[in-house]
Amino acid sequence: MSQSISPTVEVACYHCGADCEETVIVHDNKPFCCEGCKLVYELLQENELCSYYDFTKNPGVSPDKNYYKGKYAYLDLPEVHQRIIQFTDGRQTHINWYLPQMHCSSCVYLLENLHRLQEGVISAVVNFPEKRVRIIVDEEKIKLSQLAELLTYIGYEPYISLQDVESDQSPKTNRTRLYKIGISGFAFGNVMMMSFPDYFGLGDTQTDQKLQSLFSVFSVVLALPVFFYAASDFFVSAWKAIRKHYLNIDAPIALAILVTFVRSLYEIGTQTGVGYLDSMTGIVFFMLLGRYFQDKTYSVISFDRDYKSYFPVAVTLLGKEQEAITNHQSQVTNHQILITDLQAGDHILIRNKELIPADARLVSERAMIDYSFVSGESEPVEKTRNEIIYAGGRQVGGAIELEVTKRVSQSYLTQLWNKDSFTQNNQKQDRDLVAQINRYFTWTVLGLGLAGLVFWMWAGDLPRGINAITTILIVACPCALLLSDTFTNGNILGMFGKHKFYLKNAKVIESLSEIDTVVFDKTGTLTLPDAGQIQFIGTPLTRIQQRIVRTMCEQSSHPLSRLISKSLAAVPKETALKGFQEVEGKGIMANLGENCLIKLGSAAFVGLAEAPATASNAHSKVYFSFGEQQVGYFEIHSYYRDNLPDTLQALKHKNYQTYLLSGDKPTDVALLGHLFGDATHLHFNQKPEDKLTFIEQLQQKGRKVLMVGDGLNDAGALVQSNVGIAVSDNINNFSPACDGILEGSHLSFLPQYVRLAKAGRSIVVQSFIISVVYNIIGLSFALTGTLAPVIAAILMPASSISIVLYTTIASRIATARAL
């Protein structure tokens, strides 16, 4: 048995932990905030899965309030079905969906027990870091649309976008590199083991020499796949660079591998030595391992997105009224259609919080459109019948009808995305530290090698000259430089990830260490999305007036009304109100009894000739009148992220210039002017092109700019800046064209992240100095042409291992100091 009661005190839902605002649904002596949470509990209880609640207190997620029946019918369309699945044999179908609501071990437990909730589910395996679940279903028992409905029903609505349908799904894991690491690692270990007799001066007897020859043959066999397969990436990369008339870091490494391998084959073939195959296989193994370690730290985040990743797959197409001749009754046929199939003239239905996929004319009486995704303006814009609504807006309120005027590919959002300013490649990292060092290092080594060859040729000892140049190329290989870079940056990338900061690649760390100017967007970056501070100014509201305000606000579709209603969530509703009437763009009114008219809205709507002179124009205001009395107004302040003052103060303390670029109208100017230190650093009403131009002007003055923003309106500025960071409260939903993603709750760590990036650059330089010491020792012997192969073989792995240890320890110490 279950019953609904009105709460007198705040009660938390047993399933999701949310406050039961209006009514509490009691079932099995447990409170629930809605029917959805109660039904999920019943499902778990029926299948004896209530141990789910033992893992975490209130582990559940509330079902989506905007869900409607038939929302996922498009998944059963043949053209969508074939794109969305990964495999099917006619009986079992495999899908891999992204579930952004997944947040704890309890979620994993529930999702991996889907087969106990629905017979058609065969199995489910969760990839928690990527928030994905791989599900195998029997489509004779459950359709994909029904599976999506089940997941939504239990609070885990799958996120499926147009990009998922139109893009080829490729695995993120580079298995080829793993194979190469395994082969080179196996060869390196075994070749080193078979080289121990040379390391320790053994092999004097004839038997030992025969065994040594056998080991040499085995070493060549092991080295062949390393040279021709595992090391192929270095040769390909070096050749591409040489064709473009420059030497990258892979060029000297490829040369060292080639020289080492050829000389080893010569010495083993002529029985004049044992070669350097352990050094060659070690070079390849450590280089591949370092790069894999570096790539792995950000492989779970996809940065390659376009506007399609934000668009829905399908939309509801409204059919024309068809009059039945026999009974003279009209009926409307509605069905879902892929948005790529939309044509001009089609009528579509857009529900609350759905994205508008194409430019369209409003057929309904009115709509409230949130353009913050495109323009940065946080306050929704009111539209009336026959006005044009551009793609990228989001409907706020009830469902509306639109008539498509342009196809998706011709819409404003698509054109904005494809502008040169949003797609240009400004080659941010073409002058990184390793490339600069390598430019001088490589030519120096080649010069020394040629000098040694020429000197010994002139002295009449050509064999010693050949020995000099080959040993120089082996000993002075820039492996330590590349290792120091990859392992330092790999460790720092990992540390950033643990603190909710995800970078696109390791080169961003160096760019981040060089910045001297930080530019912030406002909406969604410095402010929290869908949140605000509500302050009532005037005669304090009585209890009944609070109840009236909450009830009236809930009858309005205006976003400010919803914020006010949210601030009064603990107040019960007033059931005595009658005759609600909302005047578009002005406010809402209602009657309490027969003679008490209550209004909530603009100053003019409630009867004020003009706004009070003492009121600031920096904030939105909603006025309230009770009968003939003007009670006061609600002032809505933007709700800024925690520790914002400390963040800006820390940046200014380190002599960084800070600026604000906002698409909003001027708000909180006094507060923000104090935080940024200078009101001239605040720029409002900025269009996307304005932001891009502002970044360019700073760079023309020699500034290294870090842009921190979100939304498509920041895409051009993010690309143009030296480092572009997208702030998001969900790391898998973010604006592309960025170099990194910063979880919103960790914005205050931005100064520490920059400090750690600077420390990483110092570690690379320090480790390179260590490698130079090794090179000087080796070169002092190599130039004389007397460096024994054993010494060269020991120096290479010793320098590589010491560099790995040093960079790992140093980067962890730097992280502890910075964070």
Side-chain angles (χ1 to χ4, degrees):
M1 291 292 291
S2 62
Q3 57 177 332
S4 299
I5 59 174
S6 297
T8 56
V9 295
E10 290 188 4
V11 179
C13 175
Y14 180 76
H15 176 69
C16 70
D19 292 335
C20 302
E21 297 179 359
E22 300 178 12
T23 58
V24 180
I25 301 173
V26 180
H27 174 76
D28 197 19
N29 294 322
K30 297 175 176 62
F32 298 94
C33 65
C34 62
E35 285 291 337
C37 287
K38 182 189 72 118
L39 292 173
V40 173
Y41 173 80
E42 289 177 340
L43 277 174
L44 296 171
Q45 188 181 41
E46 289 173 6
N47 290 274
E48 299 180 353
L49 292 176
C50 280
S51 55
Y52 170 71
Y53 298 99
D54 296 336
F55 289 92
T56 309
K57 183 180 180 182
N58 307 126
V61 182
S62 296
D64 181 21
K65 302 294 190 297
N66 297 311
Y67 170 76
Y68 57 89
K69 189 171 181 61
K71 182 176 182 178
Y72 296 103
Y74 65 85
L75 292 176
D76 299 327
L77 298 174
E79 58 268 33
V80 177
H81 182 275
Q82 292 302 318
R83 294 272 188 163
I84 216 72
I85 65 174
Q86 290 191 321
F87 166 81
T88 184
D89 61 0
R91 298 181 59 185
Q92 292 187 1
T93 299
H94 298 217
I95 55 97
N96 190 354
W97 281 347
Y98 169 54
L99 308 182
Q101 296 86 354
M102 194 188 311
H103 66 283
C104 67
S105 59
S106 299
C107 301
V108 177
Y109 174 80
L110 176 60
L111 291 169
E112 293 195 341
N113 279 279
L114 280 177
H115 61 283
R116 299 176 66 178
L117 300 180
Q118 170 58 246
E119 183 182 1
V121 178
I122 299 173
S123 68
V125 178
V126 169
N127 182 339
F128 186 75
E130 296 185 24
K131 293 190 177 182
R132 286 188 171 272
V133 58
R134 183 181 178 86
I135 306 175
I136 303 176
V137 298
D138 182 350
E139 288 198 84
E140 292 185 357
K141 298 180 180 179
I142 182 173
K143 298 180 179 179
L144 292 187
S145 60
Q146 294 172 325
L147 176 63
E149 289 173 356
L150 172 64
L151 291 169
T152 303
Y153 185 63
I154 62 176
Y156 301 97
E157 181 179 10
Y159 184 85
I160 304 172
S161 68
L162 181 62
Q163 189 180 49
D164 296 319
V165 175
E166 293 199 343
S167 301
D168 293 328
Q169 301 296 320
S170 57
K172 294 181 180 178
T173 302
N174 189 342
R175 295 188 178 277
T176 300
R177 178 166 289 179
L178 289 176
Y179 297 149
K180 292 179 178 180
I181 291 173
I183 291 171
S184 58
F186 175 79
F188 173 55
N190 282 278
V191 171
M192 274 199 77
M193 182 181 66
M194 288 185 286
S195 300
F196 279 161
D198 299 298
Y199 294 158
F200 297 104
L202 303 179
D204 294 333
T205 66
Q206 187 175 3
T207 303
D208 289 341
Q209 291 176 357
K210 290 182 179 180
L211 189 60
Q212 184 184 63
S213 300
L214 182 62
F215 282 169
S216 297
V217 173
F218 285 158
S219 296
V220 171
V221 172
L222 289 170
L224 287 173
V226 176
F227 180 79
F228 288 103
Y229 175 66
S232 59
D233 291 347
F234 300 103
F235 291 105
V236 171
S237 175
W239 176 245
K240 288 180 179 179
I242 292 172
R243 290 180 62 183
K244 294 180 180 180
H245 308 292
Y246 75 97
L247 292 178
N248 61 4
I249 189 67
D250 287 336
I253 292 176
L255 181 60
I257 294 172
L258 177 62
V259 170
T260 308
F261 183 70
V262 172
R263 175 162 176 174
S264 298
L265 290 182
Y266 171 78
E267 291 187 358
I268 293 173
T270 60
Q271 295 185 348
T272 56
V274 294
Y276 304 86
L277 292 178
D278 49 351
S279 296
M280 189 274 287
T281 53
I283 291 172
V284 177
F285 173 66
F286 281 114
M287 294 300 100
L288 291 176
L289 186 64
R291 289 184 175 180
Y292 176 79
F293 172 64
Q294 180 177 280
D295 295 343
K296 189 65 177 176
T297 56
Y298 54 83
S299 63
V300 298
I301 305 296
S302 174
F303 286 77
D304 300 323
R305 297 188 176 193
D306 59 19
Y307 67 93
K308 296 175 185 177
S309 65
Y310 300 92
F311 272 20
V313 176
V315 68
T316 301
L317 181 68
L318 298 177
K320 297 180 179 179
E321 291 188 356
Q322 298 176 344
E323 185 173 333
I325 299 178
T326 56
N327 54 16
H328 301 285
Q329 292 180 342
S330 296
Q331 61 180 9
V332 178
T333 58
N334 301 337
H335 65 280
Q336 290 194 318
I337 182 176
L338 293 178
I339 66 169
T340 51
D341 293 337
L342 284 175
Q343 302 290 335
D346 287 344
H347 285 235
I348 59 177
L349 183 70
I350 300 295
R351 297 176 174 83
N352 181 39
K353 294 188 177 180
E354 286 188 345
L355 195 75
I356 297 167
D359 297 350
R361 179 182 65 84
L362 180 62
V363 177
S364 300
E365 289 293 332
R366 63 184 295 271
M368 296 297 297
I369 308 299
D370 178 4
Y371 277 122
S372 60
F373 177 66
V374 177
S375 68
E377 173 64 52
S378 60
E379 188 170 329
V381 178
E382 182 177 7
K383 296 290 184 179
T384 56
R385 177 177 289 182
N386 292 325
E387 284 194 74
I388 297 297
I389 300 177
Y390 294 100
R394 196 178 296 275
Q395 163 62 5
V396 179
I400 58 173
E401 181 180 350
L402 299 174
E403 180 186 356
V404 176
T405 58
K406 293 181 179 179
R407 298 191 59 172
V408 173
S409 59
Q410 301 171 340
S411 70
Y412 169 75
L413 180 62
T414 309
Q415 294 175 22
L416 178 64
W417 196 280
N418 292 328
K419 278 188 177 181
D420 291 340
S421 60
F422 291 87
T423 58
Q424 62 179 301
N425 181 6
N426 61 2
Q427 301 295 330
K428 296 178 185 177
Q429 289 94 25
D430 61 348
R431 293 179 59 85
D432 61 283
L433 177 64
V434 171
Q436 294 179 44
I437 295 176
N438 175 64
R439 186 178 300 114
Y440 300 105
F441 182 85
T442 300
W443 289 114
T444 300
V445 170
L446 289 176
L448 286 173
L450 290 174
L453 176 63
V454 171
F455 175 80
W456 289 113
M457 286 178 61
W458 179 77
D461 195 347
L462 178 62
R464 180 173 286 193
I466 296 175
N467 186 62
I469 189 173
T470 55
T471 51
I472 285 173
L473 291 175
I474 294 171
V475 172
C477 169
C479 304
L481 173 60
L482 188 57
L483 276 176
S484 65
D485 182 59
T486 54
F487 275 88
T488 298
N489 290 334
N491 277 294
I492 291 177
L493 281 172
M495 295 300 105
F496 278 153
K498 289 181 180 179
H499 290 83
K500 311 300 182 183
F501 187 35
Y502 307 88
L503 297 183
K504 186 172 186 177
N505 56 53
K507 291 183 179 180
V508 179
I509 296 175
E510 183 178 339
S511 298
L512 187 62
S513 71
E514 297 175 344
I515 63 104
D516 54 27
T517 303
V518 185
V519 179
F520 292 94
D521 173 51
K522 177 174 175 284
T523 305
T525 302
L526 300 184
T527 62
L528 289 174
D530 301 324
Q533 294 176 325
I534 312 297
Q535 181 182 8
F536 185 78
I537 299 175
T539 305
L541 297 177
T542 64
R543 185 68 174 173
I544 189 171
Q545 287 175 336
Q546 292 178 353
R547 293 166 59 179
I548 289 171
V549 170
R550 183 199 169 179
T551 305
M552 292 181 67
C553 287
E554 290 196 347
Q555 300 299 317
S556 172
S557 61
H558 198 280
L560 296 181
S561 298
R562 294 198 308 275
L563 286 175
I564 295 173
S565 175
K566 184 178 179 180
S567 70
L568 298 171
V571 178
K573 292 182 179 180
E574 177 53 60
T575 59
L577 285 176
K578 305 294 182 183
F580 292 97
Q581 182 181 356
E582 186 169 12
V583 180
E584 295 178 5
K586 296 182 179 180
I588 188 170
M589 64 179 73
N591 293 308
L592 182 64
E594 296 183 359
N595 301 317
C596 186
L597 179 64
I598 302 171
K599 293 183 178 181
L600 196 68
S602 67
F605 180 72
V606 301
L608 293 173
E610 58 183 10
T614 56
S616 169
N617 292 324
H619 309 292
S620 301
K621 290 174 283 295
V622 177
Y623 293 85
F624 176 58
S625 67
F626 188 83
E628 300 297 327
Q629 178 185 5
Q630 307 300 326
V631 182
Y633 60 89
F634 291 90
E635 189 171 74
I636 293 91
H637 299 252
S638 297
Y639 194 88
Y640 291 92
R641 295 189 184 275
D642 293 339
N643 301 321
L644 177 60
D646 295 336
T647 302
L648 293 172
Q649 185 62 36
L651 290 172
K652 288 188 292 184
H653 182 69
K654 294 294 183 180
N655 297 319
Y656 293 103
Q657 289 191 15
T658 55
Y659 294 88
L660 176 72
L661 296 181
S662 175
D664 266 337
K665 59 187 179 183
T667 56
D668 298 327
V669 175
L671 171 64
L672 293 172
H674 173 71
L675 293 178
F676 281 83
D678 190 339
T680 61
H681 285 201
L682 307 180
H683 301 270
F684 296 95
N685 297 316
Q686 297 289 297
K687 296 179 181 179
E689 294 83 359
D690 298 332
K691 294 185 177 184
L692 178 99
T693 302
F694 185 82
I695 299 296
E696 288 179 330
Q697 291 173 348
L698 288 175
Q699 291 174 327
Q700 289 170 3
K701 297 176 182 178
R703 312 298 298 185
K704 302 291 186 180
V705 183
L706 165 64
M707 174 68 193
V708 185
D710 78 319
L712 177 59
N713 61 299
D714 298 319
L718 289 170
V719 171
Q720 180 61 38
S721 60
N722 298 84
V723 179
I725 302 299
V727 175
S728 176
D729 291 282
N730 183 332
I731 64 169
N732 288 281
N733 292 334
F734 63 94
S735 173
C738 61
D739 297 306
I741 314 161
L742 174 58
E743 191 167 299
S745 61
H746 283 65
L747 180 63
S748 61
F749 284 84
L750 186 60
Q752 289 93 315
Y753 295 144
V754 176
R755 190 190 315 161
L756 181 55
K758 290 182 179 293
R761 183 184 176 94
S762 298
I763 293 171
V764 172
V765 173
Q766 293 163 11
S767 56
F768 177 66
I769 292 174
I770 295 174
S771 70
V772 168
V773 173
Y774 278 107
N775 287 329
I776 291 175
I777 296 173
L779 288 172
S780 64
F781 290 99
L783 284 170
T784 63
T786 59
L787 180 65
V790 175
I791 302 300
I794 293 174
L795 280 176
M796 194 289 298
S799 63
S800 299
I801 293 172
S802 62
I803 289 297
V804 170
L805 291 175
Y806 176 77
T807 55
T808 301
I809 295 172
S811 59
R812 291 185 179 276
I813 293 174
T815 302
R817 290 176 176 175
L819 302 177

